[in-house]
Amino acid sequence: GQNIDQPTEMTATEGAIVQINCTYQTSGFNGLFWYQQHAGEAPTFLSYNVLDGLEEKGRFSSFLSRSKGYSYLLLKELQMKDSASYLCAVRSLYSGAGSYQLTFGKGTKLSVIP
Amino acid sequence: ETGVTQTPRHLVMGMTNKKSLKCEQHLGHNAMYWYKQSAKKPLELMFVYSLEERVENNSVPSRFSPECPNSSHLFLHLHTLQPEDSALYLCASSEDMNTGELFFGEGSRLTVL
């Protein structure tokens, strides 16, 4: 089976840095994704890692260690609009027809306070 | 036009009703998905269509019936649902089935009484 763990909630201060961790156990790993979901809105794609290392995109960075089954999303210079849920998702071989599909974690609700 | 559009945004139905959720994507993608999002649970894959053919059916009860008449449209037909089926139903699309970047619609919030 597949298992994805991430903290349920986090709180951080405006202007600070926050790191959201994600650990996973899966077979047929084929990439890790982070999505952002504001309350009442659709999830939107943030980042993708398939090789070990850090991917940087503006204020957001994502890290992957495949050997450890571990990823983190780093948000710098936090803004109030960053208050949202952050979903970790792993693409792996699906148990059904053998295609690669995304399995999501429960999401981490980040609250940014002044 | 937004990338992925879902209607209705909100739906309240009784357990004996029949209703349908509609999804339309204007991105030229070849794969479409239905996900279920319940409170305090992860997004749960329900169905995957690639080039209008159903590829995955994640052991979803038959009271949920998908339909993909063409690569731009996806429906979820609902019949004799249970209160525990109340959730946000999200449609998504991707370039093809092996591209992980999903583009989601805003979702249809379903309440079953």
Side-chain angles (χ1 to χ4, degrees), chain A residues 10-19 59 75-83 110-114:
Chain A
M10 297 182 73
T11 301
T13 306
E14 193 176 11
I17 299 173
V18 71
Q19 178 174 312
R59 293 188 298 114
L75 292 76
K76 302 176 187 175
E77 301 168 18
L78 279 175
Q79 302 175 9
M80 299 300 289
K81 67 178 182 179
D82 296 329
S83 293
L110 175 66
S111 299
V112 180
I113 58 175

Side-chain angles (χ1 to χ4, degrees), chain B residues 95-109:
Chain B
E95 280 188 31
D96 58 56
M97 199 175 57
N98 295 314
T99 302
E101 184 178 348
L102 301 179
F103 292 77
F104 285 89
E106 302 266 342
S108 293
R109 173 70 62 186

Side-chain angles (χ1 to χ4, degrees), chain A residues 51-72:
Chain A
L51 299 176
D52 291 351
L54 190 68
E55 294 283 341
E56 297 186 78
K57 193 186 288 186
R59 293 188 298 114
F60 292 5
S61 303
S62 57
F63 172 82
L64 175 67
S65 169
R66 288 171 297 169
S67 62
K68 295 181 180 177
Y70 168 69
S71 173
Y72 67 72

Side-chain angles (χ1 to χ4, degrees), chain B residues 31-101:
Chain B
M32 295 188 77
Y33 310 77
W34 281 115
Y35 278 86
K36 176 183 178 182
Q37 189 172 39
S38 304
K40 300 184 179 178
K41 286 187 174 182
L43 273 168
E44 181 185 340
L45 180 66
M46 298 177 73
F47 300 103
V48 180
Y49 276 82
S50 177
L51 297 170
E52 301 142 49
E53 283 193 27
R54 191 189 307 182
V55 174
E56 296 287 354
N57 174 358
N58 187 21
S59 303
V60 179
S62 59
R63 58 185 184 269
F64 295 92
S65 174
E67 179 191 0
C68 188
N70 55 62
S71 60
S72 298
H73 293 85
L74 185 65
F75 295 88
L76 189 63
H77 303 299
L78 315 170
H79 179 46
T80 60
L81 296 191
Q82 305 298 311
E84 59 264 30
D85 296 323
S86 298
L88 181 68
Y89 289 85
L90 288 162
C91 173
S93 71
S94 63
E95 280 188 31
D96 58 56
M97 199 175 57
N98 295 314
T99 302
E101 184 178 348

